[in-house]
Amino acid sequence: MHLLAAIAPPKAVLKQIEKYLTDFFWGYSDGKKKYHWVSWKNLCYAKDEGGEGFQSLNDITTSFAMKRWWQLRTHDNLWSKFMKAKYGKRTNIVVRKWSSGQSQSWKEMEIKKCTEPHMI
């Protein structure tokens, strides 16, 4: 969780980790995968919605990206000063668009900032 709070891994990495989680729950029998009775997506629903209440890694990384964006916008700490200096040299970080050569974490925050309540 600490690593997911700091970076935004690519979707392929999250998918592979979830594959390992499903293999852990259902495992192997005689060298073959056991039958998956329910999908991982359905297990990630809340218990009152028929799931088991597990958290999707995609949802977790989305939450952390929103938290990083919020901290960047509202806090005046060393990290936010660095990010503003790096990505907001010529324009305000709110209007800054992601381009190639920037970090994956910045790209993830860039995507999430469009979901801010005042931007909708």
Side-chain angles (χ1 to χ4, degrees), residues 46-110:
K47 287 188 176 189
D48 59 343
E49 295 176 5
E52 289 299 318
F54 296 137
Q55 291 292 317
S56 161
L57 291 179
N58 190 33
D59 292 345
I60 292 170
T61 57
T62 299
S63 298
F64 282 136
M66 288 183 186
K67 183 178 179 179
R68 283 192 304 273
W69 179 248
W70 178 253
Q71 288 180 346
L72 179 66
R73 294 283 313 275
T74 60
H75 290 78
D76 192 31
N77 56 23
L78 182 62
W79 176 78
S80 63
K81 288 178 184 178
F82 171 77
M83 294 297 278
K84 288 173 185 175
K86 182 173 181 177
Y87 295 112
K89 291 177 188 172
R90 296 185 192 112
T91 61
N92 190 319
I93 59 168
V94 176
V95 296
R96 172 75 188 222
K97 294 292 182 190
W98 184 83
S99 62
S100 63
Q102 295 173 344
S103 71
Q104 182 71 21
S105 293
W106 178 259
K107 178 184 176 185
E108 190 71 20
M109 283 193 308
E110 176 68 28

Side-chain angles (χ1 to χ4, degrees), residues 19-37:
K19 180 183 175 302
Y20 291 138
L21 291 171
T22 58
D23 287 347
F24 172 78
F25 280 107
W26 287 283
Y28 291 89
S29 177
D30 298 328
K32 294 192 288 188
K33 286 185 178 182
K34 290 183 180 177
Y35 184 74
H36 292 204
W37 291 100

